[in-house]
Amino acid sequence: MTTTMEAAIAAGVSFALTPEQCELRDLTREFAEREIRPRAAEYDEHQTHPADVIATAHELGLVNAHIPEEFGGAGLTVFEGMLMCEELARGCSGMATAIAANSLGSVPVVLAGSDEQRRTWLPPLLDAPILCSFALTEPDAGSDAARIKTTAERRGDEYVLNGSKMFITNAGHASWSVVFASTDRSQGHRGLSAFVVPMDSEGVSVEKHLDKMGQRSTDTSAFALTDVVVPVANRLGGEGDGFKIAMQTLDMTRPGTAASAVGVAQAAYEYSVEYAKQRVTFDVPIAMHQGVNFLIADMATETEAARLLTWQAAWMLDAGYGRKAALYSSFAKRFSADTAMKVTTDAVQVFGGYGYIKEYPVEKLMRDAKLFQIYEGTSQIQRLVIAKEIFLPRDD
Ligand code: CAA
């Protein structure tokens, strides 16, 4: 770790954002304050899919910004994408997840697609606010991703897919999905492959929009694949590359998720500061009570620590640190998710009874924060990845 930090300093890493990065952050913050925050409570209440917000974000270039320039995208770095995620989630992490899920869905194509596949699947995402999704999880395989049961059987120039996918972000509204399936059950994780599946293919049926505790404006759905036929041309990478494609994708996207958790913690902290200045007990604003101001001091410190770890993970991914960067992605995801949970829980405490009712914003933040400890690899899975890197480091 010291080596990485030394290398970073030698490479001239500075905590100052460039003028372009400041502009991007400010544009996203202003968008989130104008378009996202005013709708957050209502969309949460009714589980509204934020199609209107996604469309406006798309017009401003805030969706799919990671797509490389050669395919018509802005080619933003992981670091820049992460700056956007924090600001979007500061507005509402449900809507931020709905927007960011297009990165999760399309990164496998960017990472593992052939030139032709990239030209087929990426530019349409830029032309219109269409959605894609990442379908790895199944009813019986979440954390243990290698155990998925969906199969893809090769028949000539086609594959026939059968199985079920669960907890898939935006699946109910996606045009296509990257579906992970086994092409050879006997090979375990080495028998998994990745396919781009148009969601209007015959045999794809979205079965359930799941009724979640938090991040309710993101559609999370289950879908089934029954004899779904896709051409061989839709397979990303070779047969058996699927597991690595999934892992490499998650390595790339976890800093964005970590940044979203930081955005939620930041919002909870800001609301708490404002409330503590106004709410009076025992003849003084509660900010004057050490019991409250120590809570808020810890919120500020831990949110900043989570942000720095997230910045480092994103910087390392951009700087090409490979597996070492993946370790930092897990550091960042684990720490930011757990920080968001703690900070939002403390925010409810600062607000007291008002924190527990829907009229005030912090109970939503606490419900939203919980999901960061679960999706894109639970906090326990991040610890598993970290411990593996510590005790069984790999060089690839
Ligand atoms: N990059 C490249 N290769 C990797 C890798 C990585 N980051 N991590 C593992 N691998 C490779 C290993 O090198 C190994 O390769 P070999 O076949 O050559 O040996 C292979 O993959 C298997 O690795 P492990 O032995 O470590 O695999 P495992 O089964 O013991 O554990 C795990 C893997 C880390 C627990 C993995 O299953 C995992 O990440 N689980 C969590 C899944 C997850 O995050 N799901 C979230 C779904 S997406 C979602 O929630 C998003 C949403 O819609 C909001």
Side-chain angles (χ1 to χ4, degrees):
M1 276 165 245
T2 326
T3 343
T4 314
M5 196 44 91
E6 280 167 4
I9 291 162
V13 167
S14 130
F15 293 110
L17 300 179
T18 64
E20 293 76 23
Q21 288 168 342
C22 288
E23 205 179 305
L24 178 70
R25 184 199 53 196
D26 295 348
L27 170 83
T28 318
R29 180 173 298 177
E30 199 255 320
F31 169 78
E33 283 175 359
R34 192 186 63 242
E35 302 289 337
I36 294 186
R37 214 171 245 190
R39 295 171 167 85
E42 193 198 328
Y43 284 28
D44 171 71
E45 171 90 17
H46 302 292
Q47 293 213 100
T48 309
H49 170 62
D52 52 347
V53 174
I54 293 172
T56 317
H58 189 272
E59 268 170 40
L60 289 172
L62 302 177
V63 192
N64 310 309
H66 65 291
I67 292 181
E69 285 173 7
E70 57 184 306
F71 303 107
L76 293 196
T77 60
V78 176
F79 190 89
E80 289 156 349
M82 175 212 70
L83 291 176
M84 285 168 46
C85 285
E86 177 179 338
E87 297 305 328
L88 293 171
R90 181 172 163 271
C92 167
S93 59
M95 289 187 233
T97 296
I99 291 170
N102 255 36
S103 303
L104 185 61
S106 58
V107 164
V109 179
V110 175
L111 286 180
S114 63
D115 215 43
E116 198 183 331
Q117 287 171 325
R118 292 178 184 160
R119 291 198 189 288
T120 304
W121 300 107
L122 300 177
L125 295 177
L126 299 161
D127 295 343
I130 62 169
L131 301 179
C132 59
S133 66
F134 178 87
L136 176 65
T137 303
E138 298 190 353
D140 297 320
S143 290
D144 192 359
R147 293 281 186 282
I148 60 171
K149 291 185 189 145
T150 296
T151 53
E153 192 188 322
R154 180 136 183 191
R155 290 190 199 154
D157 288 342
E158 295 171 338
Y159 284 93
V160 181
L161 278 73
N162 280 287
S164 306
K165 293 291 171 182
M166 183 69 170
F167 301 125
I168 308 303
T169 302
N170 281 345
H173 300 273
S175 294
W176 51 268
S177 197
V178 173
V179 172
F180 294 87
S182 180
T183 37
D184 184 350
R185 294 297 293 270
S186 69
Q187 295 292 311
H189 70 267
R190 291 187 183 152
L192 300 188
S193 306
F195 301 90
V196 181
V197 176
M199 292 297 279
D200 60 0
S201 305
E202 203 177 328
V204 174
S205 52
V206 175
E207 293 180 324
K208 213 177 191 181
H209 296 277
L210 302 160
D211 190 1
K212 303 196 300 296
M213 171 200 278
Q215 299 199 17
R216 288 166 57 79
S217 54
T218 312
D219 162 50
T220 307
S221 291
F223 70 92
L225 300 120
T226 311
D227 293 331
V228 176
V229 176
V230 293
V232 170
N234 285 25
R235 191 190 66 221
L236 300 173
E239 275 200 6
D241 288 346
F243 193 72
K244 284 197 180 174
I245 295 172
M247 293 299 110
Q248 286 167 345
T249 298
L250 292 165
D251 290 342
M252 296 290 288
T253 57
R254 280 174 183 155
T257 309
S260 297
V262 171
V264 170
Q266 178 69 27
Y269 157 74
E270 288 168 4
Y271 282 127
S272 299
V273 170
E274 281 316 303
Y275 186 78
K277 287 196 279 196
Q278 283 158 24
R279 172 74 172 166
V280 173
T281 64
F282 305 102
D283 299 325
V284 290
I286 61 171
M288 296 294 112
H289 299 308
Q290 207 172 56
V292 172
N293 64 34
F294 274 20
L295 269 184
I296 292 178
D298 283 351
M299 284 180 189
T301 312
E302 286 155 22
T303 302
E304 192 60 22
R307 179 178 291 116
L308 288 178
L309 203 46
T310 303
W311 281 27
Q312 189 178 355
W315 177 83
M316 287 177 70
L317 280 164
D318 289 330
Y321 273 88
R323 283 299 275 264
K324 200 152 195 188
L327 171 68
Y328 276 74
S329 282
S330 286
F331 283 166
K333 165 72 169 58
R334 200 295 281 165
F335 190 73
S336 302
D338 292 350
T339 297
M341 194 66 249
K342 179 173 183 296
V343 169
T344 55
T345 306
D346 287 346
V348 171
Q349 197 65 22
V350 169
F351 276 68
Y354 292 108
Y356 205 64
I357 59 174
K358 293 201 173 192
E359 209 178 314
Y360 288 78
V362 289
E363 65 82 34
K364 172 181 181 296
L365 296 177
M366 185 176 161
R367 287 187 284 107
D368 289 347
K370 186 64 201 165
L371 192 48
F372 290 108
Q373 294 181 308
I374 297 172
Y375 69 6
E376 285 204 38
T378 63
S379 292
Q380 288 68 30
I381 286 295
Q382 305 311 324
R383 288 179 174 92
L384 198 81
V385 172
I386 293 164
K388 266 196 183 177
E389 278 306 311
I390 292 170
F391 294 109
L392 297 166
R394 306 178 66 102
D395 323 317
D396 53 330

